[in-house]
Amino acid sequence: MKLIGIEEHFLTSAVANAWNAIGLEMSDPSVGYHQGVVGRRLADLAGERLALMDESGLDIQVLSLTTPALHDLGRESVELAQRTNDAVAEAVARHPTRFQAMATLPVSIPDEAALELDRCISTLGFKGTMLCGRVGARHLDDLAFAPILDCAAMLGVPVLLHPRTPPMAVRDAYYSGFSPLVDAGFATVGLGWHYDAGIQFLRLVLAGTFDRLPGLQVILGHWGELVLFYAERLAVMDRVSGLSHPIAHYLRHNLYVTASGMFLPHYLKRAVAIVGTDRLLFSTDYPYQYRPGEDARRFLSECGLDDSGKAAFAHGNWLRLTASCLQ
């Protein structure tokens, strides 16, 4: 059974240098995670990556630039996004049966970002884009970013909404008071990342984004970035939201969720209960969650879904979601 991982990351030296040039590691501790073995694996788009895909049982990786992508860069991100996408397109061309790609966008320049998304889908054959939530103090529901979301909806491609580090004021208020390492972990991979991504999605819902763009499809990793586990409480806001539908509608019609290497059958069961088997996507969150021993394929075989559900989870839902991409 073909196994497609749709949240598999890379990092180029040019992007890393751009982060270093603005001292991003001083404000975003996640930049420090991209070093050592993880850094080497992020940079590699050939030998070791393919070997570890084989070892874990993954047939295809859908490549996306790791967090925080280009969200903290300004005008220089336009040309950097183009170079990044061209480099990934070359990797896909070298290994067309093993790689697909998500567009990297100059998100702080929304009109240019929409143009680059169109180029990536229509010319380079990419499958969607990955965004990392906030840009400065602005959330993705800010009307300034409408050109990007409008373009994704028009092209019929999904937006993978990836976690990023909460702003400093939030970290100081809620994720501090321990050692620097504990503070950083608490604010990022431990919890803060996932609240931040889930809130970005809910802001899109509450802002009426999906009423305006009913065909727009968003992907949340890590089994829905906590959103699915509070679906019952979120429904309380139906009384005051003024939306065209209950919040449960948007979870069923505008959201896909993926595993991000959290291979936990009880999380999968919860996702099925909220979004259904036709909105499950597979991913390993390479290289962060890489584990040896055909871990990915073993989880698929033991996840508890029937054969048709396993096929949908493994590849069928992704192929259907991206079948309408303009090529």
Side-chain angles (χ1 to χ4, degrees):
M1 185 180 293
K2 180 179 290 186
L3 190 55
I4 302 176
I6 67 94
E7 186 192 343
E8 320 300 327
H9 300 301
F10 72 92
L11 177 63
T12 68
S13 59
V15 172
N17 290 339
W19 290 345
N20 292 335
I22 63 170
L24 188 57
E25 70 279 2
M26 299 300 294
S27 60
D28 188 342
S30 71
V31 172
Y33 298 165
H34 310 134
Q35 300 175 5
V37 172
V38 168
R40 186 187 75 233
R41 290 173 176 172
L42 283 167
D44 173 49
L45 292 175
E48 182 181 15
R49 183 180 292 259
L50 291 168
L52 295 182
M53 287 169 62
D54 291 341
E55 200 282 333
S56 64
L58 199 65
D59 295 298
I60 297 172
Q61 282 191 352
V62 183
L63 303 169
S64 54
L65 180 65
T66 195
T67 189
L70 306 185
H71 283 236
D72 294 278
L73 304 177
R75 175 58 60 175
E76 71 275 19
S77 66
V78 175
E79 187 269 340
L80 183 55
Q82 293 168 350
R83 279 196 287 141
T84 302
N85 290 322
D86 288 343
V88 174
E90 290 175 5
V92 173
R94 288 193 299 269
H95 304 283
T97 64
R98 305 304 304 274
F99 294 147
Q100 298 176 10
M102 294 283 205
T104 297
L105 301 181
V107 189
S108 65
I109 319 290
D111 289 335
E112 295 284 353
L115 291 174
E116 181 61 9
L117 177 56
D118 183 80
R119 183 181 80 94
C120 287
I121 304 304
S122 304
T123 301
L124 301 182
F126 288 10
K127 301 301 183 181
T129 188
M130 191 188 90
L131 304 178
C132 297
R134 293 172 298 100
V135 179
R138 296 180 297 173
H139 301 285
L140 286 180
D141 61 285
D142 192 302
L143 289 178
F145 302 113
I148 302 173
L149 301 177
D150 290 354
C151 184
M154 184 271 292
L155 293 169
V157 298
V159 174
L160 171 59
L161 184 49
H162 193 276
R164 70 161 304 172
T165 305
M168 185 67 74
V170 174
R171 285 153 51 196
D172 287 345
Y174 288 99
Y175 298 104
S176 64
F178 309 100
S179 71
L181 284 177
V182 171
D183 289 356
F186 190 20
T188 58
V189 65
L191 193 64
W193 267 354
H194 310 295
Y195 270 118
D196 195 77
I199 286 170
Q200 291 299 313
F201 172 74
L202 291 173
R203 289 188 64 95
L204 290 174
V205 172
L206 294 171
T209 304
F210 301 109
D211 289 342
R212 187 174 67 84
L213 300 171
L216 179 64
Q217 301 298 316
V218 170
I219 303 166
L220 286 177
H222 309 95
W223 297 115
E225 307 293 4
L226 302 169
V227 170
L228 303 190
F229 297 93
Y230 282 84
E232 290 86 355
R233 299 296 288 177
L234 292 171
V236 174
M237 290 193 291
D238 292 341
R239 307 169 191 168
V240 297
S241 71
L243 296 171
S244 299
H245 305 282
I247 288 175
H249 171 91
Y250 306 102
L251 299 181
R252 282 273 181 172
H253 291 85
N254 300 99
L255 178 64
Y256 283 77
V257 298
T258 187
S260 304
M262 296 173 65
F263 296 151
L264 301 168
H266 56 297
Y267 279 24
L268 184 150
K269 184 177 180 180
R270 175 63 174 177
V272 170
I274 302 300
V275 303
T277 56
D278 59 342
R279 287 183 167 267
L280 301 179
L281 301 171
F282 198 91
S283 64
T284 73
D285 200 11
Y286 181 90
Y288 304 104
Q289 296 270 55
Y290 169 74
R291 294 178 292 268
E294 288 210 345
D295 194 51
R297 194 162 290 277
R298 182 173 62 252
F299 174 66
L300 179 67
S301 68
E302 299 174 356
C303 70
L305 296 174
D306 61 20
D307 288 346
S308 63
K310 287 178 181 177
F313 183 32
H315 61 267
N317 292 337
W318 176 251
L319 296 178
R320 187 188 69 255
L321 174 61
T322 58
S324 61
C325 295
L326 297 179
Q327 301 291 325

